[in-house]
Amino acid sequence: MKIPGQNRAVVRDVWPTVENGKYAIKRVVGESVSVWFNVLSDGHDVVRGGLRYRHESERKWSHASATSIGNDRWQAIFKVEKQGTYTYEALGWVDYALTWQHGITKKIDAGLDVKVELLEGLPFIEKLPKTISKEEKKLQAKCATAFASAAEYEEGKMLAKSEHLHNLFISHPDMTYLNTNITPLRVYVDREKAAFSTWYEFFPRSAAAKAGQHGTLQDCIKLLPRVASMGFDTLYFPPIHPIGEIHRKGKNNATTASEGDVGSCWAIGSKDGGHTAIHPQLGTIQDFKQLVDAASKLGIEIAMDFALQFAPDHPWVKENPQWLKQRPDGTIQYAENPPKKYQDIYPVYFETSDWKNLWKALLDIALYWLEQGIRVFRVDNPHTKPIAFWEWMIAEVKKKNNDVIFLSEAFTTPNLMQELAMAGFTQSYSYYTWRNTKAELLEYMNQLTQGILSETFRPNFWPNTPDILPWSLQNADEHNYLTRYFLAATLSSNVGVYGPVYEFLEHRAMPGKEEYLDSEKYEVRHWDWKKATPVTELYTKLNKARKEHAALQRTNNIRFCHIENDQLVAYLKQDEQGSKVLCVCSLDAVHSQSGMLHLAPWMLGMNEHATYTLKDVLTSSEFEWHGHTHFIKLTPQQPYHLFVIKEKVD
Amino acid sequence: MKIPGQNRAVVRDVWPTVENGKYAIKRVVGESVSVWFNVLSDGHDVVRGGLRYRHESERKWSHASATSIGNDRWQAIFKVEKQGTYTYEALGWVDYALTWQHGITKKIDAGLDVKVELLEGLPFIEKLPKTISKEEKKLQAKCATAFASAAEYEEGKMLAKSEHLHNLFISHPDMTYLNTNITPLRVYVDREKAAFSTWYEFFPRSAAAKAGQHGTLQDCIKLLPRVASMGFDTLYFPPIHPIGEIHRKGKNNATTASEGDVGSCWAIGSKDGGHTAIHPQLGTIQDFKQLVDAASKLGIEIAMDFALQFAPDHPWVKENPQWLKQRPDGTIQYAENPPKKYQDIYPVYFETSDWKNLWKALLDIALYWLEQGIRVFRVDNPHTKPIAFWEWMIAEVKKKNNDVIFLSEAFTTPNLMQELAMAGFTQSYSYYTWRNTKAELLEYMNQLTQGILSETFRPNFWPNTPDILPWSLQNADEHNYLTRYFLAATLSSNVGVYGPVYEFLEHRAMPGKEEYLDSEKYEVRHWDWKKATPVTELYTKLNKARKEHAALQRTNNIRFCHIENDQLVAYLKQDEQGSKVLCVCSLDAVHSQSGMLHLAPWMLGMNEHATYTLKDVLTSSEFEWHGHTHFIKLTPQQPYHLFVIKEKVD
């Protein structure tokens, strides 16, 4: 007998719910949360659904109304206005006042005597809260008199049935006996950038203007205007810490380094310091702060690589040997994927009994960079460190500053990628890199934007990374580079590119591997930073369009259109404020492709006979459409349209 | 930092889970529970899944092994042997011993030196529990020596890779760091009858041998052999309590009773007593006990109607006025569905502030009949009483005696019917009564036997009830009565029929309603209990077949076969012990129907070239089949086959 016997409604089957309420769904400031749930009760009484929510900083609940959508199901929508965690609960109750009104109305309509029923209505009138409006108080007083008075019987009947009284009961329900869903549900609210960001990656050591020189952070500062002019808002650097000298890798991942080889920057730590130090050849912490400031002035945030592994000469190897796996022969366990060995790095030994101090030390690395102004971390291989560690660490960092964004670089199984997202990662690398055909793209987008992934997993689409030169881009021509960035940046609101290599069409691979030949991972490369290619131009125009058109700033708002050609993909993106974009792209690098595109005006929120203009913001060409089907032709020279749609009003 | 940092596996997406673990799934003694779940961990280590379970009477967990079925998913199966509640938890852990073996095997195969790796294996050997077998201890000792000895290096390598060592690690996992699913999950285990029962219903007041007489419980005793000979194991009586005299209903639901009218037996209570009394015209409590005993000797249980409502002259109306809704004019609220009124009954006022005493008094009614030997309750309209009340009451009754079975007579929305089942009802009336076409039957069976309903909702199929003479049986002929019982009793393992009316082909309806004309609900009827019809014969043969063939004793074990005719339905039922039944039924009462039935031998667990016999246990005709397609012809005279299948072994 845990709940009062009078408490007759139950709330069931709430969507979204992530692992029984263990995890939060995700939103950014200003977005809405839609919650669906069943409300059931015994008998024929009128039941109602509602929703209450509050930000972690608030004690009082706010209430959102819910709408019945049939078959016992209700939908409630609320807006999240602040960063941090909101709790929300779906509500259900039996509405005795509405039940009374429903019953008396039927009896009045059937011509029955309802004098006693009117008296039975009095308590509902009396129970209305004191806070009701003046107008409402007038109605309350009228009902109170008429229901109790034989002389005002006809007036009483009219009032009892009235829409006004109905609205009064709807607006001020008596929720004395209320039930909620079983588990408390949460939504974690990030800043806007979590949902909409445009990333550029380059290696600082390749930033020098002159060939043969090792780049510096000061060189990077000089490149910032170039990055800004291309429209990127996040600049991600591979690790900038001292690089191990013991077992350093040579060019093209050679096991032994030659004289002058710079090593892999992911082999972190040397006599010059560990994860909180700057590689001496790049500069100093002062240079770094100067870089962060200069970037900030151009609207760019620096994303820090957070790579938890140690070169053999990392200071912690001697200071905290218990954080590395000691072998019976006195050596330390290096990274391996048997029989492959990675002798230039030691993995963190998370099974250590000293794990609490280890976790704190790793957190301190993040907090140190937080103090240096870093608000974005790209986390290297999070799927090889315990999920529980990330859940704890991300929460701790967010307690200090909830602006911080964590991008998960986990290319692993779908379940594990999702688990990391649920554990707290703000954004995640995705399989986009290997989704090429129309069928693959549609299936993947449907997976991401429907069901639980759409609530918890924010994909970031990268056509390439320093670790991945996908088969589709090997020995490819310009068309592929253009369309792969076009698709990434229009399908997904979070997009990133390992930039110079991509815009300068570097496509030489290690034979038989999806790895770059002469990769910057193991050597300094020189780029002609003054050069602009068609890819540079696309970056610039497309990133500008993404900033100007809100429809491109979300991922879940996609709707694919039917187009009668398997080499053509077409999709709409729309936002609630009326931004409408239609993207059409050809996947064929060699031939022209054409087909009929089906687009019903109602899909654009327009009436059947509407006429609208389509302006291609990449080429400035304009079209005018009406009706349902439209001819599209794309060529290798003009492989896509990014149409901004405006209804024509005469 | 709630869980140890070393605890790296997570368990997710457990199936079945009912409302986040709030409710139990259902089984009967001897059945299996299949649990599916994901086990994830970081990195490349070997993870394993398992399951532990225990009966409420046990403190120690039993363990069930789990099998990896790919994509991080595991399946575990355990058997429930006792009535009552079992708790089960899905388990996941990183298996360090198997990870070690996996790694060293790859290195040995690649020709690498593994002397240190062998030393690293020693702790896994040493940690094995003391309870391992003699044979296993020998292997343990061999490994302990060989792994540590340079002289036995080759032997050590062989042992390290060996299947024997693999099996030893598999059998005795180190589960120091274990994770489980988030919410505790439960299965409630009933006695066999919950899953397999055959119900017959008649009105005791129509039990007299002579026309014009009011039947008695002693008359009922005389009818028991007839019920037993037809193969029914549960005899359900509408309420046998004193019937209200105030506002008593007349024949055919007339508002005013005439002299001699017996009233509706659901209008419970009069000067002669309430829910714990016997209607004087039926007999005494001694007669009732004699009836229960006599039935028991014939393998029949008496099912009691549990109908919570009061006639105006029910003793409680005066004794406990607070349990009824008092109106402002001093009258009591009768039952209504505005503008309809049911003036012969008062509903229970569950909103009363005295609800705790009310709940206890209602429970006491059930406990009283429990003491009189009743173990089966058919609950009248449970969907008009609070769900929380049933959840509490059923649990309380089961604490006294977990043999008790509750059948929910809720013909309401799918969600509410499911909710009542989850709250504790053992069985539920179903929509079968209105599922007639092939498409309707397939869709409904799929709903019931797949997904969450198959775990929580045990349907009981009734072709008719005293409240429902479905359109399909109105003015229908014998064929419809035969096929509707045939389908009910072969599709569902729980079946019931409002018997005499059905076997004597009563099909006169109140005009425009699905109600019987001259219904026994409002008058005494006379039946020729000596008569046997083709329906009587079907009851007898089919109920016998249900007892003899285990495949017919479950509902979820159904698999429909494709048959090329929309008027023919065909389905297989099989159990794990090899009972195999094929049912084929024609829905056409007028024409012969034929079509090709597709039945691959693998669906019967037989090889491609198997030959098998099909014996129709209703007609004794026999067939021999092999191959994939079979010609079926059914006629209005021979509208179904109930084939028992046996493989022919030469």
Side-chain angles (χ1 to χ4, degrees):
Chain A
M1 295 198 184
K2 274 178 252 161
I3 62 161
Q6 301 100 324
N7 204 340
R8 291 166 41 213
V10 295
V11 178
R12 293 285 176 262
D13 292 315
V14 185
W15 172 264
T17 304
V18 191
E19 270 296 316
N20 303 350
K22 175 165 165 53
Y23 295 119
I25 61 166
K26 294 191 169 101
R27 289 293 184 277
V28 299
V29 170
E31 284 188 323
S32 294
V33 178
S34 247
V35 183
W36 287 265
F37 53 97
N38 287 0
V39 181
L40 297 178
S41 183
D42 59 283
H44 306 288
D45 289 357
V46 177
V47 296
R48 287 182 67 195
L51 184 138
R52 64 187 179 196
Y53 61 100
R54 65 179 168 204
H55 185 262
E56 56 187 318
S57 66
E58 294 162 350
R59 280 206 302 172
K60 270 189 74 177
W61 291 105
S62 299
H63 280 260
S65 62
T67 312
S68 165
I69 55 173
N71 207 16
D72 309 316
R73 201 131 182 94
W74 293 75
Q75 182 189 14
I77 300 175
F78 66 101
K79 213 169 186 177
V80 288
E81 307 278 11
K82 296 184 211 173
Q83 282 177 235
T85 301
Y86 283 78
T87 303
Y88 60 96
E89 294 185 347
L91 311 174
W93 67 94
V94 173
D95 195 310
Y96 292 108
L98 290 179
T99 301
W100 167 83
Q101 192 183 36
H102 182 77
I104 197 170
T105 301
K106 291 228 162 175
K107 286 177 186 174
I108 293 167
D109 292 348
L112 302 179
D113 182 281
V114 294
K115 291 200 188 72
V116 182
E117 282 77 3
L118 286 173
L119 292 174
E120 285 174 329
L122 281 174
F124 305 117
I125 300 298
E126 286 155 12
K127 247 191 272 177
L128 286 164
K130 296 209 171 101
T131 51
I132 60 174
S133 73
K134 249 189 180 172
E135 206 61 34
E136 290 172 327
K137 275 187 181 150
K138 262 191 214 163
L139 177 60
Q140 182 185 30
K142 269 210 254 175
C143 290
T145 314
F147 290 1
S149 150
E152 291 184 37
Y153 180 53
E154 289 306 318
E155 167 81 357
K157 286 203 287 186
M158 205 198 66
L159 286 166
K161 282 181 63 173
S162 72
E163 189 75 15
H164 290 302
L165 186 59
H166 186 77
N167 293 340
L168 187 58
F169 288 150
I170 289 279
S171 309
H172 306 287
D174 174 10
M175 296 195 285
T176 314
Y177 299 117
L178 190 67
N179 265 319
T180 70
N181 48 294
I182 299 157
T183 42
L185 300 174
R186 287 169 300 130
V187 49
Y188 186 81
V189 182
D190 279 298
R191 61 182 168 123
E192 173 67 16
K193 186 164 207 157
F196 173 50
S197 60
T198 313
W199 297 51
Y200 191 76
E201 173 178 4
F202 72 80
F203 283 72
R205 63 189 179 194
S206 302
K210 276 193 194 157
Q213 286 192 350
H214 191 288
T216 65
L217 296 177
Q218 289 296 337
D219 291 328
C220 294
I221 292 175
K222 289 180 198 131
L223 291 178
L224 288 172
R226 183 177 193 277
V227 175
S229 74
M230 293 187 292
F232 293 97
D233 57 37
T234 312
L235 177 56
Y236 154 55
F237 291 147
I240 54 172
H241 312 301
I243 296 168
E245 287 161 14
I246 300 173
H247 296 304
R248 177 176 280 192
K249 289 288 175 84
K251 285 176 183 160
N252 284 312
N253 203 16
T255 318
T256 321
S258 305
E259 181 66 27
D261 275 349
V262 290
S264 161
C265 51
W266 279 277
I268 296 170
S270 76
K271 63 180 187 312
D272 297 313
H275 284 77
T276 52
I278 302 272
H279 186 51
Q281 283 185 280
L282 291 175
T284 64
I285 188 71
Q286 283 69 36
D287 293 330
F288 183 73
K289 285 182 166 183
Q290 203 182 319
L291 170 78
V292 172
D293 284 349
S296 174
K297 287 189 183 112
L298 292 166
I300 294 171
E301 292 186 74
I302 301 297
M304 189 86 182
D305 199 305
F306 195 68
L308 298 182
Q309 58 226 7
F310 313 115
D313 35 345
H314 190 290
W316 285 7
V317 172
K318 282 210 178 110
E319 291 166 18
N320 298 289
Q322 75 282 14
W323 297 345
L324 297 128
K325 189 174 175 189
Q326 306 295 328
R327 307 192 69 202
D329 63 347
T331 64
I332 296 169
Q333 180 66 57
Y334 42 73
E336 60 178 17
N337 187 4
K340 278 196 256 173
K341 324 176 189 184
Y342 306 95
Q343 282 164 298
D344 62 337
I345 43 171
Y346 295 149
V348 181
Y349 183 49
F350 278 96
E351 289 79 35
T352 175
S353 56
D354 190 38
W355 63 272
K356 281 195 188 182
N357 288 318
L358 167 66
W359 283 25
K360 280 185 189 137
L362 298 176
L363 168 64
D364 284 345
I365 296 172
L367 296 182
Y368 173 82
W369 291 109
L370 193 67
E371 271 173 40
Q372 314 315 315
I374 288 298
R375 296 292 176 269
V376 185
F377 291 96
R378 176 270 196 194
V379 178
D380 191 63
N381 283 331
H383 59 293
T384 59
K385 289 97 196 172
I387 298 155
F389 165 72
W390 294 118
E391 192 177 349
W392 171 83
M393 200 205 84
I394 292 172
E396 291 297 311
V397 172
K398 293 249 178 183
K399 273 185 211 164
K400 298 271 180 195
N401 190 318
N402 62 18
D403 275 345
V404 179
I405 285 170
F406 290 91
L407 167 63
S408 158
E409 191 249 0
F411 290 105
T412 179
T413 63
N415 287 323
L416 188 47
M417 286 169 72
Q418 182 182 345
E419 187 70 23
L420 288 163
M422 297 199 303
F425 279 92
T426 322
Q427 299 181 358
S428 309
Y429 281 75
S430 70
Y431 296 149
Y432 168 72
T433 318
W434 301 277
R435 295 293 177 272
N436 296 294
T437 68
K438 182 174 179 172
E440 285 168 356
L441 290 167
L442 262 74
E443 195 233 0
Y444 192 49
M445 289 309 293
N446 286 341
Q447 259 181 47
L448 290 173
T449 62
Q450 293 166 18
I452 203 63
L453 283 183
S454 71
E455 302 283 350
T456 55
F457 185 93
R458 292 198 194 94
N460 196 325
F461 277 16
W462 290 66
N464 71 332
T465 78
D467 292 316
I468 313 163
L469 172 57
W471 304 118
S472 62
L473 291 178
Q474 293 185 19
N475 305 315
D477 63 17
E478 206 174 271
H479 172 274
N480 299 65
Y481 282 78
L482 291 169
T483 55
R484 291 297 295 167
Y485 188 76
F486 175 86
L487 288 168
T490 53
L491 289 167
S492 174
S493 53
N494 290 308
V495 66
V497 65
Y498 167 34
V501 118
Y502 195 88
E503 64 201 278
F504 303 135
L505 307 188
E506 172 72 80
H507 48 52
R508 295 169 305 130
M510 302 262 280
K513 295 192 174 179
E514 290 192 303
E515 286 265 0
Y516 282 98
L517 193 69
D518 303 336
S519 168
E520 289 180 284
K521 288 203 287 185
Y522 310 105
E523 62 188 277
V524 174
R525 291 283 299 269
H526 174 71
W527 305 108
D528 180 359
W529 295 105
K530 298 228 163 66
K531 204 168 121 184
T533 69
V535 177
T536 321
E537 191 195 341
L538 178 67
Y539 286 163
T540 309
K541 285 193 177 175
L542 185 45
N543 294 345
K544 183 165 174 280
R546 283 166 48 91
K547 278 186 191 144
E548 289 172 355
H549 301 285
L552 293 169
Q553 294 166 13
R554 291 294 180 272
T555 301
N556 292 338
N557 60 345
I558 197 165
R559 184 199 282 259
F560 283 91
C561 302
H562 179 53
I563 184 163
E564 297 171 4
N565 183 325
D566 278 351
Q567 293 296 323
L568 298 177
V569 285
Y571 40 97
L572 273 178
K573 286 201 153 187
Q574 299 181 81
D575 85 343
E576 283 165 22
Q577 275 66 53
S579 168
K580 293 178 206 299
V581 160
L582 173 67
C583 305
V584 196
C585 184
S586 168
L587 306 176
D588 190 333
V590 180
H591 306 98
S592 293
Q593 293 286 348
S594 61
M596 296 307 291
L597 171 79
H598 294 247
L599 177 56
W602 66 259
M603 288 174 69
L604 297 164
M606 297 180 192
N607 79 44
E608 192 63 15
H609 306 291
T611 299
Y612 50 92
T613 60
L614 300 100
K615 183 170 177 179
D616 186 333
V617 294
L618 300 179
T619 64
S620 301
S621 61
E622 257 191 77
F623 299 87
E624 198 173 292
W625 284 4
H626 67 270
H628 285 244
T629 50
H630 311 284
F631 181 74
I632 293 285
K633 181 175 181 178
L634 293 169
T635 64
Q637 292 70 47
Q638 173 57 42
Y640 37 63
H641 288 300
L642 176 52
F643 286 133
V644 171
I645 295 178
K646 295 247 185 287
E647 182 162 11
K648 246 185 122 169
V649 188
D650 298 313
Chain B
M1 297 199 185
K2 273 177 255 162
I3 60 160
Q6 301 99 322
N7 203 340
R8 290 166 44 211
V10 295
V11 178
R12 292 285 176 263
D13 293 314
V14 185
W15 171 265
T17 304
V18 191
E19 270 296 316
N20 303 351
K22 175 166 166 50
Y23 294 120
I25 60 166
K26 294 190 169 101
R27 289 293 185 275
V28 298
V29 170
E31 284 189 324
S32 294
V33 179
S34 246
V35 183
W36 287 265
F37 52 98
N38 288 359
V39 181
L40 299 177
S41 182
D42 59 283
H44 306 287
D45 289 356
V46 177
V47 297
R48 286 182 67 194
L51 185 137
R52 64 186 177 196
Y53 62 100
R54 65 178 167 204
H55 186 261
E56 54 187 320
S57 66
E58 294 163 350
R59 280 206 302 172
K60 270 189 74 178
W61 290 105
S62 299
H63 281 259
S65 62
T67 312
S68 165
I69 55 173
N71 206 19
D72 308 316
R73 200 133 184 93
W74 293 74
Q75 182 188 15
I77 299 175
F78 67 101
K79 214 168 186 177
V80 288
E81 308 278 11
K82 295 184 212 173
Q83 281 176 236
T85 302
Y86 283 78
T87 303
Y88 60 96
E89 295 185 347
L91 312 174
W93 66 93
V94 173
D95 195 310
Y96 292 108
L98 291 179
T99 302
W100 167 82
Q101 192 183 35
H102 181 78
I104 197 171
T105 301
K106 290 226 162 176
K107 286 177 186 173
I108 293 168
D109 292 348
L112 302 179
D113 182 282
V114 294
K115 291 202 189 69
V116 182
E117 282 76 3
L118 285 173
L119 291 175
E120 286 175 327
L122 280 175
F124 305 118
I125 300 297
E126 287 155 11
K127 247 193 272 178
L128 286 164
K130 294 208 175 103
T131 51
I132 60 175
S133 71
K134 250 189 179 172
E135 205 61 33
E136 289 172 326
K137 275 187 182 152
K138 263 192 214 164
L139 177 60
Q140 182 184 29
K142 269 210 252 176
C143 290
T145 314
F147 291 2
S149 149
E152 292 183 35
Y153 179 53
E154 289 306 319
E155 167 81 357
K157 286 203 285 186
M158 206 197 67
L159 286 168
K161 282 181 63 173
S162 72
E163 189 74 15
H164 291 300
L165 186 58
H166 185 77
N167 293 340
L168 188 58
F169 288 150
I170 288 280
S171 309
H172 306 285
D174 175 10
M175 297 196 284
T176 313
Y177 300 115
L178 189 68
N179 265 319
T180 70
N181 49 293
I182 298 156
T183 44
L185 300 174
R186 285 169 302 131
V187 50
Y188 185 80
V189 182
D190 279 297
R191 60 180 168 126
E192 172 68 14
K193 185 164 207 158
F196 172 50
S197 60
T198 314
W199 298 51
Y200 191 77
E201 173 178 4
F202 71 80
F203 283 71
R205 64 188 177 195
S206 302
K210 276 192 197 161
Q213 286 190 350
H214 191 288
T216 65
L217 296 178
Q218 288 298 337
D219 291 329
C220 294
I221 292 174
K222 288 181 200 132
L223 291 177
L224 288 173
R226 182 177 193 278
V227 175
S229 74
M230 293 186 292
F232 293 98
D233 56 38
T234 311
L235 176 57
Y236 154 55
F237 290 146
I240 54 171
H241 313 300
I243 296 168
E245 287 161 15
I246 300 173
H247 295 305
R248 177 177 279 193
K249 289 287 177 85
K251 285 177 183 159
N252 284 311
N253 203 18
T255 319
T256 322
S258 306
E259 180 66 27
D261 274 351
V262 290
S264 161
C265 52
W266 278 278
I268 295 170
S270 77
K271 62 179 188 313
D272 297 315
H275 284 77
T276 52
I278 303 272
H279 186 49
Q281 284 185 279
L282 291 175
T284 64
I285 187 73
Q286 283 70 32
D287 293 330
F288 184 73
K289 283 184 169 182
Q290 203 183 319
L291 171 77
V292 171
D293 285 348
S296 174
K297 285 189 185 115
L298 292 166
I300 295 171
E301 291 186 75
I302 301 296
M304 189 85 184
D305 199 305
F306 195 68
L308 298 181
Q309 58 225 6
F310 312 115
D313 34 346
H314 190 291
W316 285 7
V317 173
K318 283 207 176 112
E319 290 166 19
N320 298 289
Q322 76 282 11
W323 296 346
L324 297 128
K325 189 174 176 187
Q326 306 295 329
R327 307 191 70 200
D329 63 348
T331 63
I332 296 168
Q333 179 68 57
Y334 43 73
E336 59 178 17
N337 187 4
K340 277 195 259 174
K341 322 175 189 184
Y342 306 94
Q343 283 166 297
D344 62 337
I345 43 171
Y346 295 150
V348 180
Y349 184 48
F350 278 97
E351 289 78 35
T352 177
S353 57
D354 190 37
W355 62 273
K356 282 194 188 184
N357 288 318
L358 168 65
W359 283 24
K360 280 185 189 138
L362 298 177
L363 169 63
D364 283 343
I365 297 172
L367 296 181
Y368 173 80
W369 291 109
L370 193 67
E371 271 173 41
Q372 313 315 315
I374 288 298
R375 296 291 176 272
V376 184
F377 291 96
R378 175 270 196 195
V379 178
D380 191 65
N381 282 331
H383 58 294
T384 60
K385 288 97 197 170
I387 299 155
F389 165 71
W390 294 120
E391 194 177 347
W392 171 82
M393 199 205 84
I394 292 172
E396 292 297 312
V397 172
K398 293 248 177 182
K399 273 185 211 162
K400 298 271 179 195
N401 190 318
N402 61 18
D403 275 346
V404 180
I405 285 170
F406 290 91
L407 167 63
S408 157
E409 190 249 1
F411 290 105
T412 180
T413 63
N415 287 323
L416 188 47
M417 285 170 71
Q418 183 181 345
E419 187 70 23
L420 288 163
M422 297 197 304
F425 279 93
T426 322
Q427 300 182 357
S428 309
Y429 281 75
S430 72
Y431 296 149
Y432 169 71
T433 319
W434 301 277
R435 295 295 178 271
N436 295 294
T437 67
K438 181 173 179 171
E440 285 168 356
L441 291 167
L442 262 74
E443 195 232 2
Y444 192 49
M445 289 309 295
N446 286 341
Q447 260 180 47
L448 291 173
T449 62
Q450 293 166 18
I452 203 64
L453 284 184
S454 71
E455 302 284 350
T456 54
F457 184 93
R458 291 197 194 96
N460 195 324
F461 277 17
W462 290 66
N464 71 332
T465 78
D467 292 317
I468 313 164
L469 171 57
W471 304 118
S472 62
L473 291 178
Q474 293 185 17
N475 305 314
D477 63 17
E478 205 174 272
H479 172 274
N480 299 66
Y481 281 77
L482 291 169
T483 55
R484 291 297 294 167
Y485 188 75
F486 175 85
L487 288 168
T490 52
L491 289 167
S492 173
S493 53
N494 290 307
V495 67
V497 66
Y498 166 32
V501 118
Y502 196 87
E503 63 200 279
F504 303 136
L505 306 189
E506 173 72 80
H507 48 53
R508 294 169 307 131
M510 303 262 280
K513 294 191 172 178
E514 289 191 305
E515 287 265 1
Y516 281 98
L517 193 70
D518 303 334
S519 168
E520 289 180 285
K521 288 203 288 185
Y522 310 105
E523 62 188 277
V524 174
R525 289 284 298 270
H526 174 70
W527 307 108
D528 179 0
W529 294 106
K530 297 228 164 67
K531 203 166 122 185
T533 68
V535 177
T536 320
E537 191 195 340
L538 178 66
Y539 285 164
T540 310
K541 285 193 177 176
L542 186 45
N543 293 346
K544 182 165 175 280
R546 283 164 50 89
K547 278 186 193 147
E548 288 173 355
H549 301 285
L552 292 169
Q553 295 166 12
R554 291 295 181 271
T555 301
N556 292 337
N557 60 343
I558 198 166
R559 183 198 282 260
F560 283 91
C561 302
H562 179 52
I563 184 164
E564 296 171 3
N565 183 327
D566 279 352
Q567 293 296 323
L568 297 177
V569 285
Y571 40 97
L572 273 179
K573 286 201 153 188
Q574 298 180 80
D575 85 344
E576 283 166 22
Q577 274 66 51
S579 168
K580 294 179 206 297
V581 160
L582 173 67
C583 306
V584 195
C585 184
S586 169
L587 306 175
D588 190 334
V590 181
H591 306 97
S592 292
Q593 293 287 347
S594 60
M596 297 306 292
L597 170 79
H598 294 246
L599 176 56
W602 66 260
M603 288 173 70
L604 297 163
M606 298 179 192
N607 79 45
E608 191 62 15
H609 306 292
T611 300
Y612 50 92
T613 59
L614 302 99
K615 181 170 177 179
D616 186 333
V617 293
L618 301 178
T619 63
S620 301
S621 60
E622 260 192 74
F623 299 86
E624 198 173 291
W625 284 4
H626 67 270
H628 285 244
T629 51
H630 311 284
F631 181 75
I632 293 286
K633 182 175 181 178
L634 293 170
T635 64
Q637 291 70 45
Q638 173 57 42
Y640 36 65
H641 288 300
L642 176 50
F643 287 134
V644 172
I645 295 178
K646 295 245 184 289
E647 184 163 9
K648 245 183 123 171
V649 188
D650 300 313

